[in-house]
Amino acid sequence: MAAETLVRAGVATTVYEKMPSVGRKLLMAGRGGLNLTHSEPLERFIARYGPAAERLAPYVEAFPPAALIAWAEGLGQPVFTGTSGRVFPKSLKASPLLRAWLARLSELGVEIRTRQAWQGWSEAGGLRFATPEGPAETQADGVILALGGASWPRLGSDGAWTEALAGSGAALAPFRPSNMGVCAGWTVLFAERFAGQPLKNIAASAEGRSARGDAVVTRYGLEGGVIYGLSAGLRDVMEARGETVLNVDLRPDASAGELTARLARARAGDSASNQLRKALRLSHVEIGLLREAHGLALPTGPGELARAIKAVPLRLTGVQGLERAISSAGGVRLDQVDADLMLNARPGVFLAGEMLDWEAPTGGYLLQASFATGRAAAEGLLKRLGRL
Ligand SMILES: Cc1cc2nc3c(=O)[nH]c(=O)nc-3n(C[C@H](O)[C@H](O)[C@H](O)COP(=O)(O)OP(=O)(O)OC[C@H]3O[C@@H](n4cnc5c(N)ncnc54)[C@H](O)[C@@H]3O)c2cc1C
């Protein structure tokens, strides 16, 4: 996005990428349908960035969701808004968008050089790269670093750039997983039978916070939107205490009283599982989860059973690490860059995207802020070059 902004202003632009191809994390995001942005009012949207909201607001306001949608549509990727308010390309893929985008960048004259791993600066102020042909150095009138966070390191953004930057005096916050799964210490039986199965439209709460949405059972615990929504708070608690309890409401749209009445009408002769299936349409995985949490102590009276369904207590034993987290918290602290995203310690160097220290839940907020800061960093550089 930064390259597109620069080249449109007539600036010769080269993208250096350490991997054999660009956009690998974008392609991975496409596996989940590529949630580009969100349709909620801008004020609420910006609040999703939590402590970083105030700092990110000007960039997102200057390149808001509507502008991102117009940009995607300009690349031949019409979008739709899901029932959750999330915005996706109709193709539900990243590859057509990335293909069209790379073709456009090439037409505009952006040169993309792959297998070029940036290593820092030479004493003469040049950019140093490790390349298949050996070390290389290049000079530039301006630099935008958009090296990503540290989640899913095998896609390229492995955070190895932190050393090169820390050497230049920029203060960094350590990387931590964000939007990651939680470990629940399932019994082998439950994990084998139910791993991969969805828990649709549930509510979950822990440590005074709650979220609604879907989750999926994994071999080690739970993943999915409802978990990601709580994951930053869960991570902080786990780091301090090592465990917590997540209460899952399997029927958030019905009160305990309604559930009790429906269970009371169930046929007395039916097994508990059959009553739950017939009276409340609980799926096998939902019944399995109830039994996993309560074991033999699963209550039998309608009132108690209803209350158990409204708060299935799951003991969490950890969170997933950076390898499989959707995003990361940490990176270059926002007080290290000026309003144009220029690094205070290194004038002429601008930063964008997830390498800056902000985090947000899933919902399109990650890509929106990455794109918006990419644009803002390029505009900052254009101003410095006297081109804006
Ligand atoms: C599984 C998954 C699903 C996701 N789904 C969504 C979603 O639906 N919606 C959403 O908003 N967000 C989603 N995200 C997050 C989103 O993809 C990222 O927040 C976004 O890609 C960050 O953009 P970026 O440009 O800052 O970094 P990246 O996209 O990580 O790009 C950084 C690039 O820099 C390169 N690089 C790193 N170090 C060097 C170096 N030293 N020299 C040269 N090149 C280097 C990397 O190889 C990489 O190509 C998802 C992420 C994952 C992992």
Side-chain angles (χ1 to χ4, degrees):
M1 190 57 89
E4 184 171 348
T5 309
L6 289 177
V7 77
R8 282 189 187 284
V11 173
T13 306
T14 307
V15 174
Y16 294 86
E17 162 64 55
K18 71 186 260 195
M19 298 299 278
S21 59
V22 293
R24 293 188 173 204
K25 194 173 270 183
L26 189 67
L27 289 173
M28 175 58 84
R31 286 222 207 148
L34 195 68
N35 181 191
L36 282 170
T37 187
H38 202 287
S39 59
E40 68 194 356
L42 197 56
E43 203 180 320
R44 202 179 316 151
F45 189 108
I46 287 171
R48 306 284 179 190
Y49 298 104
E54 211 175 303
R55 257 324 292 277
L56 293 183
Y59 315 125
V60 176
E61 279 161 8
F63 187 69
L68 176 49
I69 290 168
W71 171 83
E73 297 196 325
L75 284 168
Q77 292 301 306
V79 303
F80 74 96
T81 304
T83 46
S84 59
R86 296 173 181 221
V87 177
F88 300 87
K90 282 189 178 155
S91 66
L92 285 172
K93 283 191 197 146
S95 43
L97 181 121
L98 183 59
R99 238 188 339 267
W101 194 12
L102 291 176
R104 175 193 280 174
L105 290 175
S106 167
E107 267 166 39
L108 289 169
V110 172
E111 186 192 351
I112 296 185
R113 301 189 57 193
T114 55
R115 300 178 204 266
Q116 311 282 312
W118 177 68
Q119 308 283 291
W121 287 276
S122 68
E123 277 184 17
L127 296 160
R128 290 193 300 110
F129 292 93
T131 78
E133 293 77 39
E137 193 176 318
T138 191
Q139 292 286 342
D141 295 333
V143 175
I144 296 174
L145 297 175
L147 305 169
S151 78
W152 274 85
R154 68 185 176 82
L155 299 176
S157 344
D158 56 6
W161 50 265
T162 47
E163 267 174 49
L165 258 194
S168 76
L172 300 157
F175 283 119
R176 300 154 83 204
S178 184
N179 296 305
M180 66 289 171
V182 291
C183 308
W186 304 135
T187 58
V188 176
L189 221 62
F190 180 81
E192 277 185 358
R193 173 134 193 240
F194 294 115
Q197 301 229 5
L199 294 163
K200 293 262 179 208
N201 189 21
I202 58 169
S205 55
E207 308 291 340
R209 303 197 62 167
S210 58
R212 273 192 70 161
D214 300 338
V216 63
V217 173
T218 63
R219 289 203 154 259
Y220 58 81
L222 291 170
E223 269 195 36
V226 72
I227 301 299
Y228 301 151
L230 298 171
S231 67
L234 288 173
R235 176 196 62 213
D236 296 348
V237 169
M238 296 300 194
E239 279 174 3
R241 285 213 313 269
E243 62 169 50
T244 188
V245 173
L246 180 78
N247 280 302
V248 172
D249 182 348
L250 294 171
R251 287 293 175 272
D253 291 324
S255 68
E258 284 161 21
L259 297 181
T260 306
R262 269 148 63 188
L263 283 167
R265 285 197 296 272
R267 271 199 17 214
D270 275 347
S271 69
S273 291
N274 272 346
Q275 287 186 11
L276 290 167
R277 250 184 340 100
K278 288 182 188 166
L280 304 183
R281 294 182 181 279
L282 252 60
S283 64
H284 290 298
V285 59
E286 287 173 327
I287 295 170
L289 196 73
L290 260 182
R291 293 201 181 280
E292 183 75 359
H294 291 280
L296 293 174
L298 186 63
T300 47
E304 279 180 304
L305 193 51
R307 277 192 292 281
I309 291 162
K310 296 288 292 171
V312 186
L314 302 177
R315 199 170 71 84
L316 303 186
T317 54
V319 293
Q320 287 289 291
L322 283 163
E323 295 70 36
R324 297 298 296 257
I326 302 262
S327 58
S328 55
V332 179
R333 282 184 7 206
L334 288 165
D335 62 4
Q336 302 295 297
V337 289
D338 70 9
D340 287 332
L341 296 172
M342 187 170 79
L343 199 56
N344 299 328
R346 194 118 204 167
V349 174
F350 294 76
L351 305 188
E354 217 184 297
M355 70 182 293
L356 287 161
D357 180 21
W358 53 271
E359 66 177 317
T362 57
Y365 310 104
L366 300 164
L367 284 174
Q368 179 75 54
S370 298
F371 285 140
T373 51
R375 234 180 130 90
E379 282 170 1
L381 176 53
L382 288 173
K383 259 195 253 169
R384 190 176 161 87
L385 296 174
R387 306 291 283 260
L388 195 70

